[in-house]
Amino acid sequence: LPNLTRFCKHPADDTKRQKVAHILDKLITLSIEEVEMYPSIQAKIWGNIGQVSELIDMVLDSFIKRSVTGGLGSAQAEVMAETSVSLSAANVALVARKVIWRLCRVIDKTCISPTSQLEQ
């Protein structure tokens, strides 16, 4: 899993970044669908990915996309919230800073164009 950063370092190589995003999407699907393996997936996969600071932004993007797809309060969104906790176990300050920054950015956008729900 730490080797995934090798494919994300060059911004010009978008196909490799898309492949990493696809791998992350498959891991997210595994986390949502495999209920029996859920604790192991959280500890072994997301705990290890959380140690790789270069992947945090890309992982959070994937989590947010999947959560929005499922909708507020959905099982997908809840699993993504719990998975973010596992992800942040190794880098609490980094993950918290990135999540808060993204939330502030969304709230800032609503100042310009107000919406009834932040998901919009």
Side-chain angles (χ1 to χ4, degrees):
L1 293 174
N3 292 338
L4 289 176
T5 58
R6 293 181 183 173
F7 302 102
C8 299
K9 290 190 179 194
H10 304 290
D13 199 355
D14 195 43
T15 56
K16 288 183 180 179
R17 290 183 68 80
Q18 287 177 351
K19 287 181 181 179
V20 172
H22 184 67
I23 290 169
L24 292 173
D25 190 51
K26 291 291 186 182
L27 291 172
I28 289 170
T29 301
L30 183 71
S31 299
I32 293 169
E33 293 177 356
E34 295 297 329
V35 179
E36 298 85 21
M37 294 176 51
Y38 184 75
S40 298
I41 292 168
Q42 296 298 314
K44 301 297 180 187
I45 294 177
W46 299 113
N48 286 329
I49 289 177
Q51 294 174 0
V52 185
S53 58
E54 294 88 2
L55 281 177
I56 300 292
D57 278 324
M58 194 171 209
V59 171
L60 289 175
D61 283 341
S62 297
F63 283 6
I64 291 168
K65 286 176 187 171
R66 184 60 70 98
S67 297
V68 169
T69 301
L72 186 64
S74 68
Q76 288 181 6
E78 292 301 317
V79 169
M80 292 298 89
E82 292 171 8
T83 304
S84 331
V85 173
S86 299
L87 181 75
S88 68
N91 278 322
V92 176
L94 177 66
V95 174
R97 186 171 50 244
K98 289 184 181 289
V99 169
I100 291 170
W101 180 80
R102 287 167 185 253
L103 183 60
C104 288
R105 192 173 65 181
V106 168
I107 292 172
D108 188 46
K109 286 180 182 178
T110 61
C111 291
I112 298 167
S113 174
T115 60
S116 59
Q117 297 177 341
L118 288 179
E119 294 118 19
Q120 297 172 349

